[in-house]
Amino acid sequence: DTEVTQTPKHLVMGMTNKKSLKCEQHMGHRAMYWYKQKAKKPPELMFVYSYEKLSINESVPSRFSPECPNSSLLNLHLHALQPEDSALYLCASSSRPDSSYEQYFGPGTRLTVT
Amino acid sequence: GEDVEQSLFLSVREGDSSVINCTYTDSSSTYLYWYKQEPGAGLQLLTYIFSNMDMKQDQRLTVLLNKKDKHLSLRIADTQTGDSAIYFCAESLYSSASKIIFGSGTRLSIRP
């Protein structure tokens, strides 16, 4: 099983809402990643979790709050987002933090903030 | 600095070879990658090459790396309609092995 799953597939939320994005992998990977991809742009790294601990935060605003409850799950909690946060949010995993050459990506959650 | 550049568009005839080019600036790259993204989908890792290699071939895909010129290319032989997608060149660095830096992507379109 080389699959990374993400739910929901689509999400529409207002600026006052609180919602969460979920990501799951069962490959035994110990590094998990959140990326943001705006339309017609490349993905941009947001967070890296290494062995369930946050190891990289690319200066992401605090309205995005990541959580890694266990080695298979990665959440991204959203609160008080802005319309410019509308994007495709991609989750990825790799066996180790230094094995970026085998990052597997999920299909993404397309987020629209109204 | 970290910078990966690609041309934005490429159009090829079905059955011909496609060559997508990429340049990068950081000489401390460890791995260089090609990812494929179809409309509305996530990224699929097509292939990668370690920075001390010159060439890698995998079925219809050939990757060439010229370290002196910091130039990476992806050749797709016998291009098919299913190859229509955006292709991202990317690199990771010794200094931050977890981080992948993506180019802007090349949109490949196939004409009959």
Side-chain angles (χ1 to χ4, degrees), chain A residues 9 33 35 37 40-43 45 48 56 58 88 90 97-98 100-103 105-108 110, chain B residues 30-31 33 35 37 40-45 48 86 88 92 96-100 102-105 107:
Chain A
K9 195 172 173 64
Y33 311 78
Y35 289 83
Q37 186 178 23
K40 301 188 191 306
K41 296 290 186 185
L45 183 67
V48 179
I56 294 178
E58 291 284 298
L88 181 68
L90 294 163
D98 60 350
S100 54
Y101 59 88
E102 50 169 356
Q103 272 192 34
F105 281 80
R110 188 162 298 281
Chain B
T30 53
Y31 291 96
Y33 313 83
Y35 281 87
Q37 187 174 35
L43 273 72
Q44 175 193 354
L45 177 62
Y48 65 90
I86 298 176
F88 290 99
S92 54
S96 179
S98 301
K99 186 174 177 180
I100 294 180
F102 289 88
S104 54
R107 183 178 294 277

Side-chain angles (χ1 to χ4, degrees), chain B:
Chain B
E2 312 157 351
D3 200 11
V4 179
E5 294 190 355
Q6 311 174 232
S7 54
L8 292 180
F9 299 102
L10 177 66
S11 176
V12 299
R13 195 182 306 273
E14 188 175 0
D16 286 353
S17 291
S18 307
V19 179
I20 304 172
N21 294 302
C22 167
T23 57
Y24 58 97
T25 56
D26 201 313
S27 56
S28 65
S29 299
T30 53
Y31 291 96
L32 294 129
Y33 313 83
W34 285 103
Y35 281 87
K36 176 183 180 183
Q37 187 174 35
E38 297 185 52
L43 273 72
Q44 175 193 354
L45 177 62
L46 285 179
T47 187
Y48 65 90
I49 188 167
F50 191 50
S51 57
N52 69 354
M53 296 169 63
D54 298 322
M55 187 183 98
K56 182 175 181 181
Q57 186 153 6
D58 184 2
Q59 298 182 338
R60 291 192 297 126
L61 305 179
T62 304
V63 178
L64 294 178
L65 175 60
N66 181 328
K67 287 186 290 294
K68 175 173 167 292
D69 295 337
K70 298 191 180 69
H71 182 265
L72 183 75
S73 68
L74 173 69
R75 178 176 179 269
I76 305 172
D78 186 24
T79 309
Q80 303 298 308
T81 54
D83 295 323
S84 291
I86 298 176
Y87 290 81
F88 290 99
C89 173
E91 64 173 349
S92 54
L93 308 177
Y94 281 111
S95 58
S96 179
S98 301
K99 186 174 177 180
I100 294 180
I101 299 153
F102 289 88
S104 54
T106 299
R107 183 178 294 277
L108 175 64
S109 67
I110 316 302
R111 57 185 192 272

